[in-house]
Amino acid sequence: MTFSQILFDRIEDIYARILAHPFVSGLTDGSLAQEAFQFYAVQDALYLREFSRGLSLLAAKAPEEDAAILFNDSAKNAIVVERALHGSFFAQWGLSSEQVLATPMAPNNVLYTSYLLRVAYERPFHEVLGAFLPCYWIYWEVGKALVSQGSPVPVYQQWIQTYASDTFAETVQRVLALMDRVAEGLTEAQRNHVSEHFVMASRFEYMFWDMGYQRQPWDI
């Protein structure tokens, strides 16, 4: 069993809850309120800007040139995806980029991005990789799980196809292969630290979709 497979086994229950969440299941049966998806998409655009900053830090800490190239490209693509995918959504909803950027981050978005950036600044490469891996891997798994069902809502179908695409799959597979290579040189204690970050970030992935479904407000 590869190290990445061991990691995913640790989040089996979290991933099952993600697939069962009404936000995710509502994408395929069309029951998800479009207001909830719009809230999520705006928050995701804000998230990806911070995720991109973290990927740049990950690239700077990379022990090999190919990994640095991979994450520098990913940092750029996080913004490109935001502009292409979310931009097409926002145009349909009559939202300008200025309106999106002026939107406050929801509580769970602040929690998730703050965690990722703290890890990216403070921890060694292998731990940062473990923290950033769920955003790649879980979205790919969700995309693959949903694409066979499709969606009656064009915007939802576009979202599903993006994360089930061969292009996204190739990127995720490269990150997974890197994780497994890096793990070969880690001690048991170092692997445990990677696993802890991987599990924590996976929890935040669940919380992010729940944030969208609830259109999470600030209570104070």
Side-chain angles (χ1 to χ4, degrees):
M1 181 179 289
T2 65
F3 181 63
S4 60
Q5 289 171 325
I6 293 171
L7 290 177
F8 207 84
D9 281 351
R10 284 206 61 189
I11 66 159
E12 184 178 351
D13 291 345
I14 297 172
Y15 180 63
R17 287 186 63 182
I18 287 172
L19 286 184
H21 195 285
F23 184 100
V24 175
S25 62
L27 291 169
T28 53
D29 63 20
S31 63
L32 178 65
Q34 295 212 35
E35 294 82 2
F37 187 79
Q38 180 174 323
F39 182 97
Y40 157 84
V42 169
Q43 291 296 318
D44 198 36
L46 299 175
Y47 167 88
L48 284 173
R49 291 172 64 86
E50 302 306 304
F51 187 73
S52 175
R53 298 178 202 277
L55 289 174
S56 294
L57 293 168
L58 185 58
K61 292 185 175 186
E64 57 185 58
E65 289 183 351
D66 286 347
I69 292 169
L70 170 62
F71 292 117
N72 275 320
D73 285 346
S74 290
K76 179 191 73 175
N77 290 336
I79 301 299
V80 171
V81 166
E82 184 268 314
R83 288 177 177 170
L85 179 65
H86 296 111
S88 67
F89 297 161
F90 300 150
Q92 295 177 52
W93 300 328
L95 291 175
S96 67
S97 58
E98 292 76 15
Q99 288 174 302
V100 171
L101 294 178
T103 303
M105 273 193 169
N108 286 356
N109 202 356
V110 172
L111 286 171
Y112 193 5
T113 55
S114 297
Y115 173 78
L116 288 176
L117 289 176
R118 179 182 65 78
V119 173
Y121 274 108
E122 296 180 1
R123 306 308 302 163
F125 176 79
H126 56 273
E127 291 187 32
V128 186
L129 182 57
F132 278 70
L133 180 56
C135 186
Y136 287 99
W137 199 357
I138 290 177
Y139 267 66
W140 182 40
E141 293 296 336
V142 168
K144 289 189 297 179
L146 301 188
V147 72
S148 61
Q149 302 172 61
S151 175
V153 181
V155 169
Y156 301 172
Q157 179 66 19
Q158 184 181 356
W159 184 95
I160 291 169
Q161 288 177 330
T162 296
Y163 293 106
S165 69
D166 291 340
T167 300
F168 188 63
E170 181 181 353
T171 298
V172 178
Q173 288 165 345
R174 289 179 66 192
V175 177
L176 288 171
L178 175 61
M179 182 76 264
D180 288 331
R181 288 200 308 275
V182 168
E184 291 175 1
L186 299 180
T187 66
E188 191 63 27
Q190 289 172 326
R191 285 184 170 215
N192 287 338
H193 288 313
V194 172
S195 181
E196 289 167 5
H197 290 301
F198 183 80
V199 172
M200 182 63 73
S202 298
R203 292 184 180 124
F204 280 125
E205 286 293 329
Y206 174 88
M207 291 168 62
F208 200 92
W209 273 307
D210 190 63
M211 171 202 72
Y213 187 74
Q214 304 291 345
R215 285 173 269 174
Q216 184 185 38
W218 286 95
D219 293 331
I220 190 171

